[in-house]
Amino acid sequence: MGREFLDVFEEWASSYDEAVTGHDPQYRDVFERYDTILGEVAQLAEGSVLEFGVGTGNLTEKIIEKGQHVIGIEPSEPMRELAEKKIPNLPLFEGDFLSFPTLDEPIHSIVSTYAFHHLTKEEKQQAIANFYSLLEEGGKVIFADTVYENEQAEQQIKQEAKEKGYLDLLEDLNREYYPQLQEIRQLFTESGFHFEATQRNKFVWILVAEKQ
Ligand SMILES: C[S@@+](CC[C@H](N)C(=O)[O-])C[C@H]1O[C@@H](n2cnc3c(N)ncnc32)[C@H](O)[C@@H]1O
């Protein structure tokens, strides 16, 4: 569920690693400091890690380099093939934020970068409730994704995209479900998490939610 944007990734998979290095001017600001952002998420992950929306495996690689065990979930077959090439022994399953194989080991961290915005508000709410059940006490959700600081920031970002003629970016911002900070904070705190967020570039924030 929440897979309505999957077609984009079936097409985007082969050139995705170029996009994250700033080759596409429309997405340059979105992916600004991409490597550092993923590195920060990896540093915060502890214990057994469950990763959603693995893509080509860039975050996964960083967590494994730290010596940790990662289980990956990714709905797109072309993306899974690329991740499997990069990390041959990764336990990687077909699934999404809401529907994935039953896990038979405790999970201490749930991570994801540039993916949670594919879910509607209701789907995010359901996913967050599932994360709470899945995590051990003190376990954390650590996400990096586009979040608008407030309504004014949302309008300003969309206006700038329009003025620059970044129409693909603008369409993406209007089509997907990028939340405002207050909304995502409320979704996590209402499910029993302590929530903190820090901005890392014009678009992307690191969200850390700890199970209380
Ligand atoms: C922009 S890419 C991010 C990939 C990688 N996490 C990164 O940071 O480079 C978004 C990924 O989310 C996946 N995705 C799309 N819908 C999803 C869903 N409902 N649940 C989990 N992953 C999803 C896509 O297939 C794609 O691999």
Side-chain angles (χ1 to χ4, degrees):
M1 281 164 79
R3 297 187 185 197
E4 64 191 279
F5 304 112
L6 213 54
D7 287 357
V8 175
F9 294 100
E10 314 281 275
E11 285 172 26
W12 200 13
S14 58
S15 62
Y16 182 77
D17 279 351
E18 266 180 31
V20 301
T21 51
H23 275 62
D24 182 345
Q26 300 207 35
Y27 283 87
R28 198 166 286 148
D29 287 351
V30 175
F31 290 115
E32 191 194 2
R33 293 198 282 274
Y34 172 79
D35 230 37
T36 311
I37 291 168
L38 267 52
E40 200 175 331
V41 172
Q43 276 311 315
L44 291 165
E46 290 164 4
S48 274
V49 182
L50 177 63
E51 179 184 359
F52 288 99
V54 161
T56 60
N58 294 334
L59 171 65
T60 330
E61 255 189 334
K62 290 186 192 301
I63 301 172
I64 290 172
E65 274 164 21
K66 264 181 71 200
Q68 274 165 275
H69 174 58
V70 184
I71 301 165
I73 309 288
E74 168 57 55
S76 154
E77 193 178 350
M79 285 293 196
R80 281 201 306 278
E81 282 169 6
L82 290 167
E84 276 159 357
K85 243 183 234 164
K86 228 180 249 180
I87 314 160
N89 297 322
L90 176 70
L92 179 58
F93 300 99
E94 199 274 341
D96 57 57
F97 281 108
L98 291 164
S99 164
F100 52 93
T102 307
L103 305 169
D104 53 10
E105 57 186 290
I107 297 296
H108 305 96
S109 302
I110 296 175
V111 301
S112 181
T113 50
Y114 292 83
F116 202 44
H117 61 268
H118 295 310
L119 271 58
T120 63
K121 183 178 177 184
E122 290 68 32
E123 288 167 340
K124 287 190 189 88
Q125 193 167 31
Q126 201 185 324
I128 290 168
N130 292 344
F131 299 158
Y132 193 88
S133 311
L134 207 64
L135 281 170
E136 297 288 297
E137 194 77 29
K140 286 180 187 160
V141 178
I142 307 138
F143 284 176
D145 205 357
T146 289
V147 171
Y148 303 114
E149 187 168 13
N150 49 38
E151 177 63 26
Q152 192 191 351
E154 175 167 355
Q155 294 317 320
Q156 199 176 327
I157 281 176
K158 289 180 178 172
Q159 183 60 28
E160 274 178 36
K162 202 171 173 182
E163 282 167 12
K164 286 181 175 162
Y166 291 173
L167 300 184
D168 292 343
L169 173 64
L170 185 62
E171 195 202 327
D172 174 351
L173 295 175
N174 285 326
R175 183 186 57 217
E176 305 232 14
Y177 307 108
Y178 300 101
Q180 290 180 12
L181 187 56
Q182 180 53 25
E183 174 185 312
I184 195 78
R185 178 188 300 283
Q186 197 174 346
L187 288 175
F188 275 103
T189 51
E190 280 178 359
S191 279
F193 287 93
H194 172 78
F195 178 87
E196 280 178 21
T198 333
Q199 191 164 15
R200 285 293 174 253
N201 67 30
K202 184 170 143 189
F203 290 84
V204 174
W205 292 63
I206 291 187
L207 315 175
V208 181
E210 183 172 345
K211 178 171 173 172
Q212 298 298 288

